[in-house]
Amino acid sequence: MRRSGAFAWSSSGCQVIGREQVAAQLADLIRAHAVVAVVGPLGIGKTELVRWVVQREAAAGRVPPPAYASLSGVDGARGLVERTARALGRRRPPVESSRLVPSLCALLTSATCTLVWDDAQDAVLDALADGLEAVMAPDGAETRLRIVLVARDALGSRHGPLGAWAERNEVASLEVPPLDAAACRQLIATLEHRRGRSLHEEAILASGGNPLALQLAVAAGLAAGSDPMVGLGRAIDALPAGARALLFVLLAAETSLRDVDLRAVCGSSTASDLLLLASHALVARDGDRVWFPPPMMGPVRSLVGPPQPVTWEVLEALARRALAGAPDDPEALLLACRALAQRGCAPEALALLRGHVAARAATSPAALERTLGEIARGDTAAAAEALLALAREQLRWGDFEAARRTLDGLSALELSAPLAYRRYILRAEALVRAGEPASATQELERARLVTPPGSEIALEEGLADLAVLRGDLSGARRALLRLARSTRSIPSLEGRRAVSLGFSYILEERYDRALAWARKAREAYRRRGEAAVDILVPIVEIAALMGLDQIDRAMEVATREAAARTSRDDRGLGQGTAIIFQAGVLFRRGQLEEAMRVGEPAFCALDRRADRIFRARVAHYLARSAIGLGQLERAEEFIRIAAGVAAEPGLGVLRPMCEMDFALLCEARGERKEAVDRSRRALSGAWQSPLARVEAWALDDRDRPPPRAAFGAARAYAELRSAERALETGDLAQADSAAAGAEVWYRRAGALYELARAQLARGEARARLGQPGEASCAIASCASLSERNGYLPILLCAHLVRAFLAERAGDLEDCAAELGSAWRRATPELRDEALLRACSRAGVRIDDSVACSLHPLASRIARLGLDRPARFVIQDGERRWILDTGEEPPGRFDLTVVLDSGRVRSEQADLPLPPQRLQLLEQLACSGAGGVSLEDFYLRVWGGREYHPLRHRNAVYVALTRLRESLGAVLERDAFVEGPDGRYRIAPDVRAAVRRSWMGGDQDLELRAASAK
């Protein structure tokens, strides 16, 4: 058996005859309005018209893509949310009743489609009104979602909240008119062509040639008039007994049935009865399966009433026959249970559910909730067993709020000691999942008082879970390991024990052991007969794979867990959980901006009563993403949310994680001492995360060996942090080696953020080691990654290293450009005083020179020397270096022209020069390979406006000769030569530099002209 797919959009069967004008009107309304109501009596063709128009407009790109949901049979807001979620390709978020309407609003506001809500007259009107209110954009703004309401009556005051909303918002409405005579004739011709015979022939065939039968058929048609319900009722009344019985069976089944099973149970006339029902549009077929059309269920049920006992007997026989051939068929199992419950055999229905583990595990949560609810309502003696079974399944799905509601419903029943024990245990598990250890402790204490002999395992597992949340990880693990012998033969208890151990290791970031226990838990659950595992198992497995840097594998598991249950109505990873894990995978891949874009709205949409542990872990991932993006204030907000959860009684296991997040935030802000204190506090107790130990070691200035790491991801991170620490201590060779090892790991893992950090560390190490080529390559890769993924702090550091390389190469203009880019790119919380000093030192003109009180870049700027005092600039040709008093220039110079004192120095002597000769030597030293012509000398040194060789050449010759004679006192060889091109240059074997005072941004870097006096 399988579901008929009533909610899938399909264009099959959509045919519009005689509706061209009304179709154009409807298309105009849908394009112009966010919400449109299409009304008309039963059978007038509303659904076909709407589907045809929406499909045509969407194909032309004039409206968003189509989605369809029939609201027939919806009996509450939860059903409305489920149908809508299915239509939008989502799975219903498991929320409590008080948040169903906000959940619906969230679904609608996040969708981009044209949603058709058919059979709207059957829906919960106040929920519809609230959902539509969320869709209406304020002030006529553009909206991404359009909704088409299809109902039998116009929306008016008698529709309560929905009618009031429609009147208040002046909703566009279109009433579908009857077909005109020409269109009716065309429709009749189409029907005749489809059936292969005319209506006359149909009447003759049906009457068997009996004149009276023909007259009655015509009279019945005239009496029915234009009311299709009258005609439908008479058509059903006219059915033969076999066809009527088959109709009742299909109507009660509410699912598809195999025609071979129907023939075996209902008799040999089944085939002809199905053809007769199909002629009245009372059956749908897909291959060998038939089902009752969902849009017809409401009208037909209103005519024929509830199913009779004989119908349920037939359905039980059908379901048992299907189960005999396919024991894991979930819909056959539920149909059999429903039939047994309706026949007053509730205990037998529960036994059937317990016996078919695989089929039960594959059922739709909504369908199983309905079935167990029917069992509980139909037999008070079996109500407790049914509700306890439902709560167990809800916990397995991860819907602990629904489980709490179900268990609360048992409070009014008088339970035996074993049933009370099960209720307390399940409620404690729900409270543990919700992160409410104090309340869970109370439930376990109540369970202790009524523990049946031999049932202590569940109580011990619950107590161990509470110990995990308290932070007593070692004690909890010892208790769980002691239970191994007792749980080995009980797959469900063994699976829960294993996943609890895995969860404890996840919270301590010991991901290798967490993954091993998650896989043991999965194997234990599978021993029950291919049953679906507890929802916590894939959650632990995915988190462990991400922590082990097996990022692609984590994404595969998340996709498999979500996709494998698409048709099971919320099973496995729910929509919210799947989105959160998608954000987590993006975080580990280093796509931090995308992780924040996906994860932050999902986190904000989490109900405050949602799993507190889950909320804290999500806040942890978002805080780390924000730190990587340089959004330090937002990071602090997320950390404080997690810290608020950790401060609740019994959740001490979260506090060390929050302390480490605070430590990394302090490090990003440049508050090193506070970061060290926070990291030490995090590791002061039983929590000993290997990654946190690496962080604490890297932050600590004490000379200690790095901590040992048990798995590859931790070893790679230790190498990365070792490289960053070595840069601070000055061990550049170690920094280069460690960064190279980390780079290989993170490139293979696809962890782009850590890869960028490793490339930055390697680039800085190579730059400071005097290897500019290798450093530039590493920094270029780092900057490219950071630019693409928004790693602003790393990008700023790449600019700083480039500025260092440029300054060391004597390219002061590039140095100033890199520092200027860093300042302009930095957000206000990253513009620290050290960066401002570095910019000022390099002569960068800054309009907004307000620095923040933090020091995020100070450490790197200091070790690169970009903000050290600047007193002089040394120029060698086109290269210039900024120096402090007493600082040696980057190399040995044979001659140094000291402009401020008017002297020239060499290793042998120190000689004062007249201003003119000083300026001539300055021009030669700064000209580089291009040299200086006689004309250049005259214009720049003498300050002339026009050079005349005959008049001015001799004066320049004389001045150069005197300069050569003067330099002979400080240098044994000629300091400059005349080239074949007539230009004068510093001699090839002489290095000459010019030193002048440096005033940063106020310094005029152009060479000064001297008078020829």
Side-chain angles (χ1 to χ4, degrees), residues 169-189:
N169 291 278
E170 299 181 355
V171 173
S173 180
L174 176 69
E175 183 173 359
V176 180
L179 290 175
D180 58 25
C184 289
R185 283 191 288 271
Q186 185 181 354
L187 177 59
I188 291 172

Side-chain angles (χ1 to χ4, degrees), residues 975-986:
F976 58 92
V977 296
E978 181 181 6
D981 56 356
R983 301 180 71 85
Y984 290 82
R985 300 172 178 84
I986 295 294

Side-chain angles (χ1 to χ4, degrees), residues 229-457:
M229 290 297 290
V230 175
L232 179 61
R234 291 185 175 177
I236 293 173
D237 292 339
L239 290 173
R244 280 175 58 84
L246 187 60
L247 172 71
F248 297 155
V249 167
L250 292 172
L251 181 61
E254 299 181 8
T255 187
S256 64
L257 302 171
R258 291 198 313 165
D259 54 6
V260 63
D261 293 331
L262 286 170
R263 285 196 300 271
V265 174
C266 299
S268 58
S269 65
T270 300
S272 59
D273 291 337
L274 286 174
L275 288 175
L276 182 58
L277 292 175
S279 69
H280 293 284
L282 293 176
V283 70
R285 176 182 287 275
D286 182 11
D288 65 340
R289 294 186 175 270
V290 293
W291 65 90
F292 198 89
M296 297 296 292
M297 284 184 180
V300 173
R301 191 173 281 126
S302 67
L303 292 172
V304 302
Q308 299 300 309
V310 64
T311 301
W312 291 115
E313 290 179 9
V314 173
L315 284 173
E316 181 189 349
L318 282 168
R320 286 188 180 277
R321 190 177 193 279
L323 277 176
D328 59 348
D329 187 336
E331 297 199 9
L333 173 65
L334 294 185
L335 183 57
C337 292
R338 286 178 55 217
L340 286 168
Q342 293 294 333
R343 296 183 57 222
C345 304
E348 190 176 347
L350 290 173
L352 194 65
L353 270 175
R354 285 192 295 269
H356 289 75
V357 178
R360 187 181 76 238
T363 56
S364 154
L368 186 56
E369 284 178 352
R370 175 187 174 188
T371 301
L372 287 170
E374 288 181 1
I375 294 173
R377 288 188 297 271
D379 188 341
T380 55
E385 284 280 0
L387 293 177
L388 287 170
L390 176 58
R392 177 73 269 171
E393 294 299 313
Q394 288 167 333
L395 284 173
R396 184 169 57 81
W397 305 329
D399 194 351
F400 55 83
E401 283 296 333
R404 289 170 68 173
R405 288 194 305 271
T406 300
L407 294 168
D408 288 343
L410 286 168
S411 58
L413 302 178
E414 186 174 346
L415 304 178
S416 62
L419 294 181
Y421 174 77
R422 286 173 58 191
R423 176 180 181 271
Y424 293 139
I425 291 295
L426 290 174
R427 186 165 171 77
E429 184 177 346
L431 291 165
V432 166
R433 295 285 182 91
E436 299 182 27
S439 300
T441 302
Q442 295 175 5
E443 295 295 328
L444 290 177
E445 290 301 323
R446 296 187 184 104
R448 192 191 300 275
L449 299 176
V450 294
T451 304
S455 302
E456 298 85 359
I457 299 175

Side-chain angles (χ1 to χ4, degrees), residues 62-80:
R62 291 188 286 265
V63 299
Y68 174 83
S70 171
L71 306 185
S72 175
V74 169
D75 56 359
R78 188 174 297 277
L80 178 60

Side-chain angles (χ1 to χ4, degrees), residues 832-844:
D832 66 3
E833 293 179 356
L835 180 57
L836 182 61
R837 288 195 304 271
C839 289
S840 176
R841 175 180 176 273
V844 180

